[in-house]
Amino acid sequence: MRIEQAHLDLLYRHLDTARERAHRTSAGAHHGAAAGGTHQARLEREVRAREAARHAARLDAVERGLCFGRLDERDGTVHHIGRTGLTDEAYEPLLLDWRAPAARPFYTATPAHPGTVVRRRHLHTEGRTVTGLDDEALDLAGLDESGRRALVGEAALLAALARERTGRMATAVATIQAEQDRVIRSPLPGALVVQGGPGTGKTLAALHRAAYLLFTHRAALERRGVLVIGPTTGFLRYIEEVLPALGETEVVLRTVGELFPDVTTARTDAPATAVAKGGPWMTEVLRRAVAAHQSAPAEGIDLGDGLRVSARACAQARDAARGLRAPHNRARTHYLRTLLDALAIAQALSLGRPYDEEEAHYAPRELWAREDVRAALDPLWPALTPRQLVERLLTDGELLAEVAPEHAAALLRPPGSPWTVEDVPLLDEAAELLGDLHPTDRTGSATGFATETSTEAGAATEDEEELAFAQGVLTITGQTDDALLDAAALAGRFREDSPYRSTAERAGADRTWAYGHVVVDEAQELSAMAWRTVLRRIPTNSLTVVGDLAQTGSPAGARSWAQMLDPHLPGRWREERLTVNYRTPEPIMALAAAVLRTAAPGQQPPESARPGTDRPRAVPVPDGDFAAALAELPAPVGTLGVIAPDGKAPALGALTVTAAKGLEFDNVVVVEPAALAPRDLYVALTRATRTLTLLHHRPLPPELAGAL
Ligand SMILES: Nc1ncnc2c1ncn2[C@@H]1O[C@H](COP(=O)(O)OP(=O)(O)OP(=O)(O)O)[C@@H](O)[C@H]1O
């Protein structure tokens, strides 16, 4: 311990020095960035200031548990493993970052497959003091079967698993297991599906993977950011500290209900409606709903005084605008422009005036300024926002009968109903089909369309100039990787002239932001339409998808990964499996496994890594007064989660199964198990890390009663 303490002291001295240096650079760069100079110089300094601040924050984040392990190799080489890498003055490594390739044997070496490792040591520390060591000798000859355990660093792992839960997920860099390590270090490209039962560390591995990818591909990922999608805001709160504690800040956490700007919802639809809204057919339904807003008047246009356009010309104009295959709001400009031109020509003819260049320039514009003209033309192809379109689709029975006859009954709702999570993918799809509003539609200006061509051209040139300029700055500062994308981001910032915003902030506010990597947790809950929304945010398809098909609760969710992913990523996803449950003790897991046999007969329950002595208890509540029964339970040690059927949860102040997804508690109380669907019951039982109590008025489901 004395030797390890001396090394730890040395490491903290180097950390302090590196930190001081980073803070000094950051403060200096910020000061410089605020000072004057050309715009280019300011931008350049800001890029440096941002880099320095990030580096300083990363060094601050590793203070706790800086060094947690040591590897001794057969040739006498010793590596210390920690949360970050540190070198001495001669650039000799003092501490290996856990994500570095050389640190990998710390997580993968086993007595059966030791590689070149002869000893793995876990260091326990408190503050800057070494408080204990766990050694594993990995080259012992003649290990018997029980000695060839697959758990890596078992003593340290079991100690970590036995700790009381705080309500927040913690990092586990010291005790990552070999099968989790395979997930964490899987290559960046393509979609990786991680299927695993409850408590197998899917969330943990996915978050450590995000940190690993940011470390390994920093240049490409940091500027694009990483998006983590979770099932509920409660879940996101539970995991939000993991990545900052690993020194990573360029991460955006969102639920599906938060993926569309300015809509935040946790409200969900009834099952039949959720199924209707989540199916792939909604793409076509929305397309038809848009097309229903692109009409040509059957009788043509006649506004008197010779202002006439024939029905045929109107239909041709509409077909030509559709033929552009441009988003609705953009094609609207062309349609209206064609009709205005036709009206202007008709007007000139009726007045006996030549339709020359000057007339062609001014007449359509003047016509558009006339209220009667606008009133006649505007509704033929109205400007639409995604909210307007989706609201109209879901509330207009006639429109629904026309564009979605099979789903109309499930989709129809009263006007002004609040947005639901299932609406978000529809809004996103609508945004793609509609495109941005033309500036004149946003401002309501009367003369815009006649001048749009020149305005648009002007804006495009300005954009290009800013982009070229930002790209130049990045080249100067040596940050040319992925420069086009990042230059675009910088140019955007420059345009907004906003104060400094991080990648995560910029990405979070922009619907069309292309992330560097996306992690989807509890991915089995996503509908086909939600997948389209997610994949739009990651054009490179670099995804980590974690979930458990046995826990699917949403009626529009996945029953098989192939069925859900093949339509979007044919042949472009790979699967890893996690098989050991680190959360639920054996006696509780045995009960859950019995439920799983009914809930999802094809699915294999994970094996519990935790012995556990507390047997699950069933407490009958003959009078059905669950509130009183809860109050009578002995006060638990550690965290408590009460999970109840949807109808009972609010009154009891309990969690629904949906809200409990992905979470865990030292003690779990499940209210009226017989009222939960088998898959939901499986989810509820597997939230416990120590004790499980079942409060029941109705008889327990037979599979539970039989296994208790
Ligand atoms: N290698 C490990 N070291 C320490 N703790 C671990 C390890 N692996 C998993 N755990 C712990 O086990 C618990 C379960 O992990 P996690 O929540 O990631 O599982 P999950 O597979 O996402 O579960 P679920 O499907 O039920 O949401 C967490 O407390 C996590 O910290």
Side-chain angles (χ1 to χ4, degrees), residues 152 156-158 160-161 163 165 168-178 180 196-207 235 238-239 521-522 524 546-548 551 578 580-584 610 660-664 683 686-687 689:
V152 172
L157 173 68
L158 292 180
L161 297 180
R163 75 185 199 289
R165 299 315 201 246
R168 295 293 167 106
M169 184 175 244
T171 66
V173 279
T175 53
I176 288 163
Q177 298 298 296
Q180 298 171 331
T200 50
K202 296 182 297 297
T203 301
L204 182 102
L207 294 175
F235 173 83
Y238 168 60
I239 64 165
D521 205 333
E522 304 290 345
Q524 74 277 359
V546 309
D548 180 11
Q551 295 183 57
L578 296 180
V580 180
N581 179 342
Y582 301 96
R583 174 195 299 138
T584 324
R610 308 185 58 194
K661 264 216 169 126
L663 305 183
E664 64 185 23
V683 173
T686 52
R687 301 304 98 198
T689 72

Side-chain angles (χ1 to χ4, degrees), residues 317-342:
R318 182 198 55 189
D319 294 346
R322 281 184 176 165
L324 293 171
R325 306 216 160 272
H328 173 90
N329 288 328
R330 184 172 277 260
R332 161 181 153 92
T333 316
H334 291 263
Y335 181 54
L336 295 185
R337 181 66 213 232
T338 312
L339 293 182
L340 285 169
D341 281 344

